[in-house]
Amino acid sequence: MKEKQALDMLGALSQETRIRIVRYLVGCGEQGAAAGDVGKQVGATSSRASFHLSTLEQAGVISSERQSRKIIYRANFDRLGGLISFLLDDCCGSHPDIRACCLGQKACC
Amino acid sequence: MKEKQALDMLGALSQETRIRIVRYLVGCGEQGAAAGDVGKQVGATSSRASFHLSTLEQAGVISSERQSRKIIYRANFDRLGGLISFLLDDCCGSHPDIRACCLGQKACC
DNA sequence: TCAACATTTCAAGAGATATTGAGATATGAA
DNA sequence: TTCATATCTCAATATCTCTTGAAATGTTGA
């Protein structure tokens, strides 16, 4: 993953409403969830949910597909994995402490 | 790691100058680097480097220690590992695709 | 003490981001 | 076609973020 892409994803994830959306959509798996459902889950008005969903989509964190009158959003699992790889390898140079810590081989904060 | 802490770290990392600082400081290891060095490495004026260093420190990504007239910054390896754990486990619910992808067991973006 | 060095702090301005409510668009059903 | 549903877009506002250059702080050595 390129730095620019990673920065966009990090920016998109650094917001309370949006990280909740991602957490919910990851939980929904391949099935995804409609914009309205997502909004209800995270306690956002329709326009606010729409704004954050499109921010996440632009950053590549999630993607959407219209299903009749609903729009279904899904987490982009590959991209999320790619971001974590970026942090682990490119940004953190595969530092052994970080890798150990994040793989549960070492206690951390 | 708590959500608030993770959001702060994600926000801090989602900026070009700052991610370069982190990459450089991770490379410096336990030894760390002085603010001036960091600024030169990332091509920032002293005040700009100072601003970004303090943003990163406030978010817990790095920490500082004065050594005579220099101030030495170091990456917080535990916190970085904690953030990656947060993304992997809490936020992404240990989803198998994401985990496989970020551990190099599966190709991704 | 004084000069230099290393870094931070401050104020101002430009630009990005988040929230709100109203209105527009698109789809499906009666 | 008309209505209800689902979602998005828009404009206004408030707030945060980044950059810059100047000035202040703290430290060391002559």
Side-chain angles (χ1 to χ4, degrees):
Chain A
M1 177 173 298
K2 295 281 165 55
E3 180 177 292
K4 174 73 172 63
Q5 166 82 63
L7 288 175
D8 286 351
M9 290 186 75
L10 289 167
L13 291 172
S14 67
Q15 210 276 346
E16 195 174 352
T17 303
R18 288 198 295 264
I19 204 133
R20 286 181 185 165
I21 290 176
V22 172
R23 193 182 281 131
Y24 177 61
L25 287 178
V26 167
C28 292
E30 284 304 323
Q31 186 187 340
D37 278 359
V38 175
K40 268 179 203 146
Q41 277 291 327
V42 305
T45 60
S46 66
S47 92
R48 203 165 130 231
S50 177
F51 170 76
H52 288 302
L53 284 166
S54 87
T55 302
L56 285 166
E57 186 172 25
Q58 265 205 286
V61 180
I62 64 177
S63 41
S64 70
E65 178 201 6
R66 182 176 278 275
Q67 263 182 22
S68 91
R69 84 176 78 174
K70 297 186 176 178
I71 294 183
I72 305 297
Y73 285 90
R74 291 187 187 82
N76 278 344
F77 296 103
D78 282 5
R79 288 284 181 91
L80 283 164
L83 175 65
I84 297 176
S85 293
F86 172 86
L87 288 174
L88 213 45
D89 301 327
D90 184 282
C91 158
C92 294
S94 301
H95 194 282
D97 278 6
I98 297 177
R99 186 169 273 276
C101 168
C102 98
L103 298 181
Q105 297 164 354
K106 179 172 183 270
C108 52
C109 17
Chain B
M1 175 173 299
K2 296 280 167 52
E3 180 176 291
K4 176 73 171 66
Q5 165 83 64
L7 288 175
D8 287 351
M9 290 186 75
L10 289 167
L13 291 172
S14 67
Q15 209 276 344
E16 195 175 351
T17 302
R18 290 199 293 264
I19 204 133
R20 287 183 183 164
I21 289 175
V22 172
R23 194 182 280 132
Y24 178 61
L25 287 177
V26 168
C28 292
E30 283 305 324
Q31 185 187 341
D37 278 358
V38 175
K40 270 179 203 148
Q41 277 291 327
V42 304
T45 60
S46 65
S47 93
R48 202 164 132 233
S50 177
F51 169 77
H52 288 301
L53 284 165
S54 90
T55 301
L56 285 166
E57 185 171 25
Q58 266 205 288
V61 181
I62 63 176
S63 42
S64 69
E65 177 203 5
R66 181 177 278 276
Q67 264 182 21
S68 89
R69 83 177 78 174
K70 297 185 175 178
I71 295 183
I72 304 296
Y73 284 91
R74 291 188 188 82
N76 280 343
F77 297 103
D78 283 6
R79 289 281 181 91
L80 282 165
L83 174 65
I84 297 176
S85 293
F86 173 87
L87 288 175
L88 214 45
D89 301 328
D90 184 283
C91 158
C92 294
S94 302
H95 193 282
D97 279 4
I98 297 178
R99 185 169 274 277
C101 168
C102 100
L103 298 181
Q105 296 162 357
K106 177 173 183 274
C108 53
C109 20

